[in-house]
Amino acid sequence: MDLDALITTAQALVAPGKGILAADESGGTIKKRFDSIKVESTEDNRRAYRELLFTTDGAEEYISGVILFDETIRQSSSNGTPFPKLLADRGIISGIKVDSGAHPLAFAGEDEAITEGLDGLRERLTEYKELGARFAKWRGTYTITDVLPSEYAIRANAHALARYAALCQEAGIVPIVEPEVFMEGSHSIERAFVVTSAVLDAVYDELFRQRVHLEGTLLKPNMVLAGYDAAEQATDEQVAHLSLACFKRCVPAAVPGIVFLSGGQTDEQATSRLNEMNKSGPHPWQLSFSYGRALQAPALKAWLGDPANVGAGQKAFAHRARLNGAARSGSYTPKMEGEAA
Ligand code: 13P
């Protein structure tokens, strides 16, 4: 294993001012996104939409890497350039989602899931590396209530995340370890703090036991916040404060970067809360983004599946990328929202 190469890639993904675009929506998820703009989810529409994102001028200043889906890593731009090459030519690193989704966890309550996809993973990683992937993503999910997640679900998912991470490193691919405690629910921010801490504690315990080199990994967690249905919502300052307190206790300093998922926060919340955390830096790790919805929502709405709107979609994406780039150094202000929109 070439640990130095893994470290170089991990550090490049969290280079100052930059973060990751998660464009790895599975077939079901991209259909949901397209349904919201009344566009049919055909292979060519998916390809055209991803091309819009990947060819946005200026985005490479703020986007270090893109997470692709299996279909996307095999697709090409309209002029025939394979997407991983197109991205590499622009200095953007290709990543790949390798889990095959969350499935019911046997003998657990119906809201608890285990992420599958370990069978055959070693061979798939070899193929993805040949296709140009330098990092990967695996997401474990956790429903949060007064009593969930169970210790059983926390342990099972931590074990799978660590098995995935070890296989990635063996293949020369940086694993993004993504334990996502859902933001849906009526739980308090204090409950999110307790659950996120327990989940991270189990994840780092398993990563250690399974001999994963933390220097060549990234963590992709949820921010610590109150459930969307909670009567009392936390301020951005409270979210930043409790998130940082949680990560400082649970995430070893050997991890080069924490790259947040957006999880259904508004674009502005996702940017503002990341900014708030970075304002009080430096921290032991780089604090960055690996947003799906919070980077793409305005672009999707501007595009609407119409080739005539590609320029407008790209403008919207470049704008969001720039604002999140600013949040990397705590220099974002709400005033910037209106600037180039
Ligand atoms: P969201 O930012 O839309 O939550 O997506 C990020 C992601 O990759 C979830 O796995």
Side-chain angles (χ1 to χ4, degrees):
M1 187 194 61
D2 184 350
L3 183 58
D4 287 344
L6 291 174
I7 292 173
T8 302
T9 301
Q11 289 179 346
L13 286 167
V14 291
K18 291 188 179 187
I20 296 169
L21 165 66
D24 60 323
E25 296 84 2
S26 61
T29 304
I30 195 73
K31 181 174 180 319
K32 247 195 274 172
R33 306 278 181 267
F34 278 14
D35 283 349
S36 75
I37 54 163
K38 299 193 170 55
V39 170
E40 199 188 341
S41 182
T42 61
E43 183 181 348
D44 201 55
N45 282 341
R46 293 191 292 271
R47 197 206 56 73
Y49 173 60
R50 265 71 181 244
E51 178 167 354
L52 175 159
L53 297 173
F54 303 164
T55 57
T56 295
D57 264 346
E60 69 279 1
E61 269 183 68
Y62 314 106
I63 301 295
S64 55
V66 177
I67 316 176
L68 305 168
F69 186 58
D70 181 78
E71 175 186 84
T72 323
I73 199 170
R74 301 169 196 282
Q75 286 177 323
S76 299
S77 67
S78 39
N79 71 10
T81 311
F83 280 148
K85 174 162 178 7
L86 181 149
L87 291 167
D89 288 348
R90 305 185 61 213
I92 297 173
I93 306 170
S94 286
I96 180 76
K97 169 191 170 77
V98 300
D99 68 68
S100 49
H103 297 265
L105 179 63
F107 298 130
E110 63 179 27
D111 289 332
E112 297 221 278
I114 181 73
T115 299
E116 295 186 357
L118 289 169
D119 287 357
L121 181 56
R122 177 177 275 130
E123 292 73 23
R124 287 194 290 128
L125 287 168
T126 304
E127 189 198 1
Y128 286 139
K129 181 123 194 254
E130 276 163 16
L131 288 168
R134 293 294 171 266
F135 71 103
K137 178 191 111 171
W138 177 290
R139 184 174 77 124
T141 61
Y142 310 83
T143 299
I144 173 169
T145 68
D146 286 347
V147 292
L148 297 180
S150 65
E151 180 64 20
Y152 168 34
I154 289 176
R155 272 283 148 205
N157 276 291
H159 191 268
L161 275 163
R163 286 210 44 211
Y164 140 81
L167 283 163
C168 282
Q169 291 196 327
E170 182 194 74
I173 287 182
V174 170
I176 294 189
V177 173
E178 181 180 7
E180 176 176 6
V181 178
F182 286 135
M183 295 173 182
E184 285 80 14
S186 53
H187 51 277
S188 65
I189 189 170
E190 289 80 14
R191 175 76 186 144
F193 178 90
V194 168
V195 169
T196 304
S197 302
V199 164
L200 292 174
D201 180 46
V203 165
Y204 282 100
D205 181 45
E206 281 295 340
L207 289 171
F208 177 76
R209 285 167 193 265
Q210 297 191 41
R211 309 176 182 186
V212 173
H213 296 73
L214 297 184
E215 297 84 350
T217 67
L218 294 173
L219 174 70
K220 176 163 174 168
N222 51 283
M223 291 185 194
V224 173
L225 42 81
Y228 294 136
D229 296 332
E232 197 178 331
Q233 292 293 317
T235 63
D236 292 356
E237 290 75 11
Q238 288 166 328
V239 170
H241 177 72
L242 278 184
S243 296
L244 281 170
C246 174
F247 303 130
K248 281 184 180 163
R249 284 188 194 177
C250 302
V251 184
V255 174
I258 297 179
V259 294
F260 292 101
L261 59 92
S262 58
Q265 301 173 78
T266 66
D267 317 335
E268 295 183 26
Q269 283 171 335
T271 307
S272 164
R273 291 164 177 175
L274 174 64
N275 186 66
E276 204 53 45
M277 284 185 235
N278 275 316
K279 268 192 343 205
S280 64
H283 301 298
W285 354 253
Q286 294 292 313
L287 285 179
S288 184
F289 55 90
S290 174
Y291 293 157
R293 283 163 285 180
L295 270 173
Q296 294 185 46
L300 201 60
K301 267 191 231 133
W303 175 56
L304 295 172
D306 185 344
N309 294 335
V310 165
Q314 291 188 324
K315 202 168 151 198
F317 174 53
H319 184 54
R320 220 52 254 160
R322 187 170 73 83
L323 300 191
N324 284 301
R328 289 283 282 104
S329 56
S331 57
Y332 160 85
T333 60
K335 199 168 141 272
M336 293 164 77
E337 291 288 343
E339 276 172 12

